[in-house]
Amino acid sequence: MLSLSKTIFKIKSAYLVNGVFYFLKRVPLLKQAISDNVYADSTTKTALSAIFVAIKTLLSFVFSIFYVLLVAVLPVELFSEDIRQGMGSEGALGMGVYVLLILSGVMMLFMESTILNASKEKYIAIRFMRVRPKDYMKATFLFGKLKLAVGFYLGISVMVFIFSGISLRSLGRAFVILLVLMSFRFLGEAFQLMTSKKLKRSLFRNTKLVMIVILIALIVAYGLPLFYVYLKGEFWQFSTLLLRGVCSPVGVILSLLVIAFSLYYIYRRFTSWQQVTMMNLKQEYIQVDGKKTAAATFKEVEMKESDLTVNQRRMAVINKKKGYAYFQALFFARHNRLLFHPVLIRLAIIWVCVALSAITILFVPEFKKPFLALPNYLPVLVFIMYVINTGQKSTKAMFYNCDNSMLKFNFYRKPGVILKNFNIRLRYVMSYNFPISVSICLGVMVLTALSGGDIFTRDLLLLYTCVLMLSVLFCVHHLFLYYVLQPYTTDLAIKNPLYRLISQGMYILCFVSYQIRRGGFAFTLIVLGVTVVYSAVALVLVYKFSPKYFRVK
């Protein structure tokens, strides 16, 4: 079993190191310095694999700490000072434990199975090396859970330190909380194996079920405590009682029994390993050759035959246009279902949230205070605006349904044509996202007015401007990356590392902004400044480099 564990580790390490080499060779400034012989240098690869695996493990621990702070600590800290003081340290810690057990314990019963997950190394070991599924599980399962437990223990310890102070008692309580949390994880593995055998399908691959479970879990984890606090005045009596139950001898014994039962079922009782493993070890679940994943990436922008028919009223408007204006107008008209319907869904969600918030303000006056401070939540809006922007989906549709074919013609690759189409497309993409940003601004106005505030204060005017400018920024951002880096290849794969790096960098910046508790006037000015500068630089780069790099690769 130890030799199999070493073999699996070598496969993972080889994928990791070769992936890093491949990435570096795609970076313009580094590709000349790295020769192809580096792939055959076993000594260098062994040393680097140890370093990379260590770094990856440390990053997973950091992510666990960050995750616990985000889902369990931050929501408690967002309560007003009076409410937090009323909770006390025990009530606050109990609230954090409650949220963590719901989102990382109960919810994961339906959403995750490390045993049944498909991966490259698992595919190679079982499909090509003929490793028995149960042997593979024995070689990887407990080590994976140990790694997860260490990460969660660090995160939970930080949470306990924040609410209860640093002490040996806090370390002990963190371990007990971890034990209860891991009992749910082990039970989830047994539950997934049991249901996969009976239903001939894994629950965690049922997208509709997973979305329903996530929605219910979020409501139970955050909605119930929030409404209970503001309607009843407190929730910490329950959270304190929960904490005491979790940390009691009964809680420890029950957790150990659940873990023991789960391990007994997994290692002794369950026998249908070949059936459930092969059911989940399919190419559509794994990036083996890239093509399956690429096809899945563009699945959301595939057209139906009905999309080609444009209603007469809109066609009459399109027929008045000429040249590439006509070409792009027809393109976006035929993509109305793919590109505009998601906008309608976003608008519906926004106005449902506004309506629910308005009802809450009218019937629970205590909620007025947070809505009078909406400008302080601009950092959250930065992340939301990035997530709901439809620019990336638009670029996928452009390539998959148009440019993949049209860029093969010389006339379509002329600089003047490329820039003209860019300008036209930018206007269309902005027109799709403009209603979303306007709706957010109107929603803020409505909620501020219902709360008795002035809707035209300096801070709110800056907020409206920021929301509108952010919409422009993210539209420019996605089209800028598409036209300057053009990441898609003819086989629909994304193989431009610089594209991934910049995309992930933008996501990280927006996510970091999401963690800022209060915006303020200075933050608003920074957002406006960054938006204007980035948009201007991106447009200049598009005009300078897109005629050269906007090609099919």
Side-chain angles (χ1 to χ4, degrees), residues 17 65 74 117 168 173 493 510 514:
V17 175
I65 296 172
L74 181 62
N117 271 342
L168 290 176
R173 297 180 86 182
C510 294
Y514 177 75

Side-chain angles (χ1 to χ4, degrees), residues 89-148:
S89 61
E90 293 293 289
L93 179 58
M95 183 82 79
V97 171
Y98 167 78
V99 172
L100 199 60
L101 291 180
I102 295 296
L103 297 184
S104 298
V106 178
M107 187 174 76
M108 290 301 165
L109 290 173
F110 303 91
M111 289 186 55
E112 185 181 73
S113 173
T114 55
I115 292 178
L116 298 179
N117 271 342
S119 63
K120 292 177 181 179
E121 58 271 13
K122 186 175 183 179
Y123 188 90
I124 291 172
I126 294 177
R127 288 281 189 180
F128 300 140
M129 298 174 64
R130 303 299 180 186
V131 175
R132 293 192 306 167
K134 188 173 183 178
D135 291 339
Y136 184 91
M137 182 276 298
K138 289 180 178 179
T140 59
F141 176 61
L142 289 179
F143 177 77
K145 290 300 179 188
L146 176 62
K147 180 180 173 183
L148 179 68

Side-chain angles (χ1 to χ4, degrees), residues 412-480:
Y412 197 76
R413 298 197 303 268
K414 291 181 178 180
V417 174
I418 290 175
L419 295 176
K420 187 170 185 178
N421 282 327
F422 170 82
N423 288 327
I424 297 172
R425 285 173 165 180
L426 179 60
R427 290 197 295 270
Y428 274 105
V429 174
M430 288 172 59
S431 70
Y432 284 135
N433 289 277
F434 185 70
I436 299 174
S437 56
V438 170
S439 292
I440 291 176
C441 293
L442 291 175
V444 171
M445 289 182 180
V446 170
L447 296 178
T448 302
L450 288 175
S451 301
D454 185 356
I455 63 174
F456 294 115
T457 63
R458 181 196 66 178
D459 290 341
L460 280 175
L461 289 175
L462 284 173
L463 176 69
Y464 306 148
T465 306
C466 273
V467 170
L468 296 174
M469 290 297 295
L470 284 170
S471 179
V472 174
L473 167 67
F474 295 130
C475 292
V476 171
H477 168 71
H478 289 299
L479 279 176
F480 154 65

Side-chain angles (χ1 to χ4, degrees), residues 469 473 476 525-541:
M469 290 297 295
L473 167 67
V476 171
L525 291 181
I526 291 172
V527 170
L528 280 174
V530 170
T531 299
V532 172
V533 172
Y534 184 92
S535 299
V537 171
L539 291 173
V540 170
L541 293 176

